[in-house]
């Protein structure tokens, strides 16, 4: 028996040779390609559904929105048929009541504000009449812009050194030409002309002293020779003014001596012609004279005339 012969049942033999011929037939290949294409499309749809599961939900939502929009348009056309028409009217009535209540309370606030402003204005009008003492007290407590001690220290400096002394308001430059004649034992020293300024500082600090004193017992700022405009009584009983020399000690350690008597510190002493000054333990003596001191006493009237001229020029 050959394998190509049919069996008794009428079927072909299932030999590998026959199967190979059937699989390679063109009809069988087309069917197989179609099945594979259908399977591929089915798998793609399944994968797309798995990736985008919300597409169907979106479609359903769009359809439900369309239905709601249709219902809303129908309700607009027939407002009496809406189920919520009565509720809307009730809301409008509540809104009107709230607005009326708000206006009522606003009116009450305005009235209260006007009443408080009127009371404040009346209190301000009554205040100056009822409390004059308080206003006087406030005037007394005004700030003072006068120089304090720290500012005076800054302004009363010379060459970077703080000066312990400040001139009084009655300080004047004299018309009389006063002079100091210094003597050391019996030795005569150069004359000092002290009529060009209203004050002369005496001390050991040569940077600021007008009249330097080099003795170690003297202070750096020892004393001040000051001219002052003072009042005096004339022979006829009238009161006049003239410029006179004074000496003041600035609190030195060893003191200032006027005619061999130690003077008190921080106090003015009037000087007269032929007075002798000494400072500390220095052996130098300073005699006070002026340009007409070498004349006779008969010319004293001329000195009085000069003083009267000074008074007239100062006044």
């Amino acid at each position: 028996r050959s394998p190509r012969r049919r069996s008794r049942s009428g079927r072909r033999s299932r030999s590998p040779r026959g199967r190979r011929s059937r699989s390679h037939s063109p009809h069988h290949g087309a069917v197989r390609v179609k099945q594979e294409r259908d399977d591929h499309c089915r798998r793609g749809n399944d994968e797309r559904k798995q990736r985008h599961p919300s597409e169907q939900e979106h479609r359903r939502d769009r359809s439900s929105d369309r239905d709601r929009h249709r219902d809303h348009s129908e309700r607009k056309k027939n407002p009496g048929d809406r189920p919520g028409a009565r509720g809307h009217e009730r809301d409008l009535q509540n809104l009107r009541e709230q607005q009326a209540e708000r206006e009522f309370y606003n009116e009450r606030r305005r009235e209260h504000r006007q009443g408080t402003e009127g009371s404040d204005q009346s209190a301000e009008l009554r205040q100056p009449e009822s409390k004059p003492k308080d206003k006087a007290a406030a005037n007394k407590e005004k700030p003072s812009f006068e120089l304090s001690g720290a500012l005076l220290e800054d302004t009363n400096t010379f060459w970077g050194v703080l000066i312990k002394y400040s001139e009084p308001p009655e300080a004047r430059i004299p018309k009389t030409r006063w002079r100091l004649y210094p003597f050391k034992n019996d030795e005569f020293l150069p004359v000092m002309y002290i009529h060009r300024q209203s004050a002369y500082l005496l001390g050991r600090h040569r940077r600021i002293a007008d009249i330097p004193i080099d003795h170690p017992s003297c202070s750096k700022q020892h004393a001040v020779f000051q001219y002052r405009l003072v009042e005096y009584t004339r022979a006829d009983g009238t009161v006049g003014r003239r410029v006179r020399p004074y000496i003041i000690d600035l609190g030195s350690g060893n003191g200032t001596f006027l005619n061999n008597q130690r003077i008190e510190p921080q106090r003015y002493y009037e000087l007269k012609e032929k007075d002798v000054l000494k400072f500390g333990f220095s052996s130098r003596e300073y005699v006070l004279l002026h340009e007409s001191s070498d004349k006779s006493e008969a010319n004293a009237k001329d000195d009085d005339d000069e003083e009267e001229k000074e008074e007239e020029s100062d006044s």
Side-chain angles (χ1 to χ4, degrees), residues 65 101 109 130 139 159 173 188 245 248-249 260 290 299 305:
D65 292 341
E101 187 176 0
R109 287 196 197 95
S130 60
N139 292 334
W159 290 102
I173 297 176
F188 179 73
I248 180 173
D249 185 81
N260 294 325
H290 55 77
N299 296 329
D305 295 338

Side-chain angles (χ1 to χ4, degrees), residues 103-120:
E103 290 177 358
F104 173 72
Y105 282 113
N106 289 337
E107 186 67 23
R108 289 187 62 182
R109 287 196 197 95
R110 265 188 242 106
E111 293 176 357
H112 180 69
R113 194 180 301 112
Q114 290 176 359
T116 53
E117 289 177 357
S119 61
D120 293 340

